Amino acid sequence: MAEHHQSEYDLSFTRKRRCVTMSADSKRVSLRLETATSVSEIEDHHPKHEYLYQLETTKRRWEISSANTYILADCNIESGELVSSYVIVKRELLFHSTEDESVTQYMHTCSCENGIIQAERLGSVSSGVSGNFEEFASREKSNYCIHSWAASELFSRPLNNAYPDYTTAYGDVLIDHLSVEPLLVSITIGNSTHLVSVQKRFGAKKLSCLTCTYGKTSCEHVESFRKWCERQNIASPETYSTINQSNFNCLSFTKIPYPLTENLKENFFKQQTGQKCINLQNLVPAIPSVGTNSFCAHGHEWDIEDPVEQNWLVGPATIYYGTHTLTHMYVEGEEKRINVYYRPSSGPCNCQLFYDGNEDMMLNLNNKDIIHYSILLLYLHLMVESRNPLASFHRAYSERIAGMSGTDVLPLHKLRLGWNAFARLLDINYASNFQCKVCELHPQVVICDGTSVGLNKKLLQSIPTDGSSAGISNDQGVPTQTVDIGTRHSDRVFISNPKVRRLLLQFCSTSKQSSKPLSSEEYSIMIDLMEKNDHLHSLANYIKLISSQGAHLQAPKEFCSFLEDLAKNSPTSAILQLPVGSKAKKYIKEFIHGIDLFQGKNQYKLEIVQKDAPVIFDFLAKYGKRSDGVPTEVRCLLKDILLKSRKSHTRDAEDTGTVVYPQPTEDPVACFPCLPKHKGKPAYSQDKTTGDMSQRGQDTCRKVYSKHPSLSPGIFTVYCMHGVCYGFQAMRQVESPKIPFEILLTRFNNPPEIVIYDNACRLHQYCLNREPRHFINTTFLVDRLHWKNHTGCSSGYSMERYKSNKRINSINSQVCEQGNAEMQRIKAQVAYMLPDNFMFHIRLFLAMQNAKKNQLLMTA
């Protein structure tokens, strides 16, 4: 093999350190030792482990489309902390053992000073190594600079890599878009890679090359990016950071039915088995029989003459298969180039019809590169079923080509463009796929949650919201036109006085042995405060009853659970989540008025109460076995509970006015194909504050969220009880009850009967603050997995209390968690996509998952 010569990274990296500087503030990441792989490494921490950790967490490293080239943030050599500059690392020097040429080793070289010295030394020696090859490889790796070492570690674990979302090429210039804000693009011309960004120079923002020594604002790399911007109709490349739309175009136009039709499956099978031969030498466009492409843009028919005979030649093409690549065909023993032809229109216009390739199972990318469906379909399934980013798939595909045929490999940037164009041609009925075959358009049970599949935070913030709020803001940004139809916290909780709630909880605390019982003085204060409130007279009388006329200062264990529910800061309606006209509510009223539900003839009524109001049933069951019957104090207490529960959804003697809902507008980062918005969300007076302080003081149900330095919080998903996703929404801020509230209000004409959410307690209160009548027939429940964390909530939110309710007991409350866990397969791949591409890939992934679940439902 020939001797290696020094690699050209840029104009000159040969004499001094060329550290690529970028004008962006570097945020300090706290020192972590998680990257250490052994106890000794933890004990003797090295800056390279900190460097590796920060590269992994900030994602400021990319594997670009130029083969085996990586862009990494630079670091402080002494501490390993990231700085605002960048280096270029390549895996390009291949050495082999002279004793056994199958034993090979690639070496990484870097654009930093130490990397250049090592590259110069390696470039001056023969690629064939005599003697102990393992010793040579080990010695050279030990001489790696910190950047080459980090690159060899990072890119041996491709699942965690960051990749350019958008790659374009024209001529010999390849452009990888690494970061949009701040702007960072790599320009590859031939074998040389360069970085271009926007920097302030003399007080103005200008495009600047980060790798050139001279002419930083006018070198060929900057000019190459300017030419690309001109092609994209970008007037000012310096404002490129505001662009957030992807552009994936190809020349194929026929929609690809998915799942594939029987005809396409047969064509594919016959091609693979050699039963069907395609004239690959001449790729000629067929005249579409139907559709928008059956005529040209000016309404003229396509010329029916033979393009080959008429010599309507576009030029030579290359066809890429999964195992080999074709540029020529043997025809009658003669090797002939594969050519692509066009078909002109029959009118005076200059319209041309290009080869589509659908019938031949091929995608025409640009009349030069033709990609067979076998590659693209394989990646589709690997993306859905395994954690396989496109760059990892490309590496495996390249190795397969090298091992099976040794022909040319489809470049990564063309594979990325081909995949994205192919995916958008897939004819998938998203409205149908985002709909359960059992629940159909109106799921009565929804399970929702957020998941940390995020995208670039700055890109997401640049996208406007749906703008459906009816409020008009003043200079301080506070809505001046607001709606006030919600109920008050003090009207919803059974005990509005925090001191009484605390004393009652202490009165019940002996069952948990968590604190001492009430003193006589505290007991008297509690009773006095209750008797000062009209609707708490019944509770005071009931406590006197069970306290044996005040001598007993501790609640009997059997009544503690019920009394604790009354003392919680949750709405009283949480105990009685019963829809209007509920039979259980009717029978409880009958009990209050003296009907004995424990008599045999009324047993069926008691069973309905047990099924739909388990908290009340468990309380009443304590008296069912007593010979002296149910005390009057119990009936009076239940009457007050029922009255207080009703106030959770109504405002007494108060005209709340008529609500005028704004016209709906869809959020660009929300996707609910079968649940479009039917109305907008008004601005509520409660939106101006963070909540009632008396409510917040006792609220122990607060979700804890982790934050990523550059990614958004994730997406919020809504599933039916059968595990079919009905849609998702990218979260601009950390997950809060506001997100499911807006979805349930604006996309459901009638809210679901049951909403299961790990923060259902706060969602219920959020809904009562704003739209109590709208959710009067909805039951809010916390899923079984997360209920253990809700120690301060009414047990009426617990699914475990509804074991006698066959409908609720049969619900798998983890279908949302399970569906979100599946999405972790594409988390790394979509993280740094542009927003529209991010939304497209999430939608595609969920549609594929939904199709499988619906198929299982139909065959069950």
Side-chain angles (χ1 to χ4, degrees), residues 217-403:
T217 59
S218 58
C219 66
E220 63 172 325
H221 321 122
V222 170
E223 291 305 313
S224 295
F225 185 64
R226 288 189 183 279
K227 288 179 181 178
W228 176 85
C229 289
E230 290 176 5
R231 294 185 175 205
Q232 303 298 316
N233 296 320
I234 300 172
S236 175
E238 287 76 11
T239 62
Y240 171 73
S241 59
T242 61
I243 296 175
N244 51 38
Q245 292 293 317
S246 304
N247 181 20
F248 303 109
N249 296 320
C250 70
L251 297 180
S252 291
F253 51 83
T254 301
K255 284 289 187 179
I256 306 165
Y258 192 86
L260 298 180
T261 62
E262 293 301 320
N263 184 43
L264 284 176
K265 288 180 182 178
E266 184 179 357
N267 283 346
F268 183 75
F269 175 76
K270 288 182 177 180
Q271 283 185 31
Q272 297 298 306
T273 57
Q275 300 178 41
K276 180 178 181 179
C277 296
I278 307 172
N279 181 11
L280 296 179
Q281 182 196 350
N282 300 317
L283 301 178
V284 176
I287 300 177
S289 57
V290 293
T292 56
N293 293 97
S294 56
F295 298 90
C296 78
H298 303 92
H300 303 129
E301 295 182 346
W302 299 111
D303 198 311
I304 61 173
E305 296 291 335
D306 185 355
V308 178
E309 293 181 359
Q310 300 299 320
N311 197 30
W312 293 328
L313 177 66
V314 176
T318 302
I319 302 177
Y320 298 94
Y321 290 87
T323 57
H324 60 281
T325 301
L326 292 180
T327 56
H328 294 78
M329 291 291 295
Y330 284 93
V331 180
E332 298 178 353
E334 184 180 352
E335 187 180 59
K336 294 187 177 181
R337 195 71 170 84
I338 296 175
N339 290 317
V340 176
Y341 292 82
Y342 71 91
R343 189 181 295 276
S345 71
S346 58
C349 58
N350 294 320
C351 295
Q352 296 177 340
L353 177 67
F354 294 113
Y355 174 71
D356 177 59
N358 179 264
E359 293 184 357
D360 300 330
M361 304 285 289
M362 292 192 290
L363 180 84
N364 184 359
L365 197 58
N366 51 21
N367 276 335
K368 296 179 181 179
D369 303 291
I370 314 292
I371 307 174
H372 196 263
Y373 286 179
S374 58
I375 299 178
L376 303 170
L377 286 171
L378 176 60
Y379 177 68
L380 171 64
H381 297 127
L382 287 174
M383 182 196 75
V384 173
E385 299 299 338
S386 64
R387 302 188 180 208
N388 202 319
L390 191 63
S392 301
F393 172 78
H394 181 263
R395 279 196 293 272
Y397 152 76
S398 301
E399 293 295 332
R400 189 182 187 196
I401 292 289

Side-chain angles (χ1 to χ4, degrees), residues 796-832:
Y797 292 122
S798 172
M799 293 185 70
E800 291 299 315
R801 295 300 297 266
Y802 291 83
K803 288 185 176 180
S804 298
N805 189 315
K806 293 182 179 179
R807 183 188 188 188
I808 294 178
N809 198 42
S810 65
I811 296 173
N812 175 11
S813 65
Q814 297 306 302
V815 294
C816 193
E817 293 277 352
Q818 293 160 1
N820 289 344
E822 291 175 347
M823 264 192 290
Q824 298 303 310
R825 300 172 190 168
I826 61 170
K827 180 178 179 179
Q829 179 171 347
V830 302
Y832 291 90

Side-chain angles (χ1 to χ4, degrees), residues 516-777:
K516 60 183 180 180
L518 292 175
S519 65
S520 298
E521 182 181 359
E522 288 174 325
Y523 179 86
S524 299
I525 292 174
M526 179 181 71
I527 296 298
D528 289 343
L529 290 173
M530 287 181 180
E531 290 179 339
K532 290 179 181 179
N533 191 313
D534 291 340
H535 85 275
L536 293 181
H537 275 290
S538 58
L539 178 58
N541 292 333
Y542 178 72
I543 291 175
K544 291 177 184 178
L545 174 69
I546 64 176
S547 301
S548 303
Q549 299 180 349
H552 187 193
L553 302 179
Q554 299 176 355
K557 185 176 180 180
E558 59 183 336
F559 300 117
C560 283
S561 176
F562 182 72
L563 291 176
E564 284 175 353
D565 276 332
L566 296 181
K568 296 291 177 62
N569 200 35
S570 301
T572 311
S573 58
I575 298 174
L576 281 167
Q577 297 198 65
L578 300 174
V580 175
S582 163
K583 289 184 178 180
K585 186 179 293 186
K586 175 185 175 183
Y587 298 148
I588 292 173
K589 289 180 180 179
E590 290 180 0
F591 174 80
I592 292 171
H593 291 95
I595 301 298
D596 186 1
L597 296 182
F598 296 100
Q599 288 185 359
K601 64 178 182 179
N602 293 326
Q603 189 66 33
Y604 73 95
K605 297 181 180 180
L606 195 63
E607 290 176 355
I608 291 177
V609 173
Q610 180 184 16
K611 177 173 69 74
D612 296 335
V615 176
I616 299 297
F617 170 82
D618 290 344
F619 174 58
L620 294 180
K622 304 292 190 302
Y623 294 95
K625 299 179 181 179
R626 296 194 177 189
S627 57
D628 55 348
V630 180
T632 303
E633 289 85 351
V634 173
R635 300 181 191 273
C636 292
L637 177 58
L638 285 182
K639 180 180 179 181
D640 284 336
I641 291 174
L642 209 60
L643 290 173
K644 196 70 171 179
S645 176
R646 186 177 63 185
K647 289 186 177 181
S648 295
H649 296 278
T650 57
R651 295 266 290 269
D652 290 341
E654 192 173 349
D655 182 16
T656 57
T658 302
V659 180
V660 178
Y661 292 94
Q663 290 297 314
T665 54
E666 287 292 342
D667 191 334
V669 291
C671 176
F672 290 84
C674 72
L675 290 174
K677 285 188 175 181
H678 61 87
K679 62 183 176 184
K681 182 184 80 69
Y684 300 96
S685 59
Q686 289 80 0
D687 293 339
K688 295 185 293 184
T689 62
T690 55
D692 190 317
M693 291 305 295
S694 63
Q695 177 181 357
R696 293 175 64 204
Q698 299 272 342
D699 189 1
T700 59
C701 297
R702 293 190 176 275
K703 293 185 70 173
V704 178
Y705 306 95
S706 58
K707 292 185 179 181
H708 192 281
S710 59
L711 296 181
S712 65
I715 63 174
F716 193 88
T717 53
V718 177
Y719 286 77
C720 74
M721 62 185 294
H722 303 102
V724 175
C725 182
Y726 272 72
F728 64 96
Q729 178 173 322
M731 296 185 288
R732 290 181 167 86
Q733 298 175 334
V734 293
E735 182 185 340
S736 73
K738 177 183 177 181
I739 299 171
F741 168 77
E742 290 188 10
I743 293 172
L744 296 172
L745 175 70
T746 62
R747 299 186 183 277
F748 288 79
N749 283 304
N750 296 308
E753 295 175 5
I754 299 173
V755 174
I756 300 174
Y757 177 42
D758 61 5
N759 206 14
C761 52
R762 293 192 67 197
L763 173 60
H764 188 203
Q765 296 178 37
Y766 194 95
C767 294
L768 295 178
N769 277 334
R770 292 158 178 81
E771 293 280 352
R773 296 293 301 175
H774 188 73
F775 294 95
I776 194 170
N777 295 324

Side-chain angles (χ1 to χ4, degrees), residues 94-292:
L94 178 63
F95 293 89
H96 69 277
S97 171
T98 55
E99 299 175 0
D100 183 358
E101 292 194 3
S102 64
V103 179
T104 60
Q105 178 66 54
Y106 274 103
M107 290 296 173
H108 290 75
T109 56
C110 179
S111 61
C112 73
E113 183 177 3
N114 292 336
I116 293 171
I117 293 173
Q118 185 178 23
E120 289 177 340
R121 186 181 68 256
L122 292 174
S124 64
V125 302
S126 172
S127 58
V129 178
S130 58
N132 192 327
F133 186 80
E134 290 185 3
E135 181 181 342
F136 162 79
S138 176
R139 181 180 67 252
E140 290 302 328
K141 286 182 178 180
S142 67
N143 290 329
Y144 273 170
C145 65
I146 192 171
H147 315 108
S148 293
W149 174 84
S152 64
E153 289 289 318
L154 280 171
F155 298 100
S156 64
R157 305 195 297 271
L159 296 182
N160 297 320
N161 288 349
Y163 305 100
D165 170 57
Y166 192 25
T167 302
T168 55
Y170 62 92
D172 295 330
V173 180
L174 184 65
I175 301 176
D176 280 301
H177 303 254
L178 309 179
S179 172
V180 176
E181 191 174 343
L183 176 68
L184 180 66
V185 296
S186 70
I187 311 291
T188 301
I189 304 176
N191 293 323
S192 182
T193 300
H194 315 265
L195 296 178
V196 172
S197 180
V198 173
Q199 291 189 313
K200 278 191 175 181
R201 298 181 67 84
F202 307 107
K205 287 186 176 181
K206 292 186 177 182
L207 284 178
S208 179
C209 182
L210 307 182
T211 51
C212 286
T213 306
Y214 305 105
K216 285 179 170 289
T217 59
S218 58
C219 66
E220 63 172 325
H221 321 122
V222 170
E223 291 305 313
S224 295
F225 185 64
R226 288 189 183 279
K227 288 179 181 178
W228 176 85
C229 289
E230 290 176 5
R231 294 185 175 205
Q232 303 298 316
N233 296 320
I234 300 172
S236 175
E238 287 76 11
T239 62
Y240 171 73
S241 59
T242 61
I243 296 175
N244 51 38
Q245 292 293 317
S246 304
N247 181 20
F248 303 109
N249 296 320
C250 70
L251 297 180
S252 291
F253 51 83
T254 301
K255 284 289 187 179
I256 306 165
Y258 192 86
L260 298 180
T261 62
E262 293 301 320
N263 184 43
L264 284 176
K265 288 180 182 178
E266 184 179 357
N267 283 346
F268 183 75
F269 175 76
K270 288 182 177 180
Q271 283 185 31
Q272 297 298 306
T273 57
Q275 300 178 41
K276 180 178 181 179
C277 296
I278 307 172
N279 181 11
L280 296 179
Q281 182 196 350
N282 300 317
L283 301 178
V284 176
I287 300 177
S289 57
V290 293
T292 56

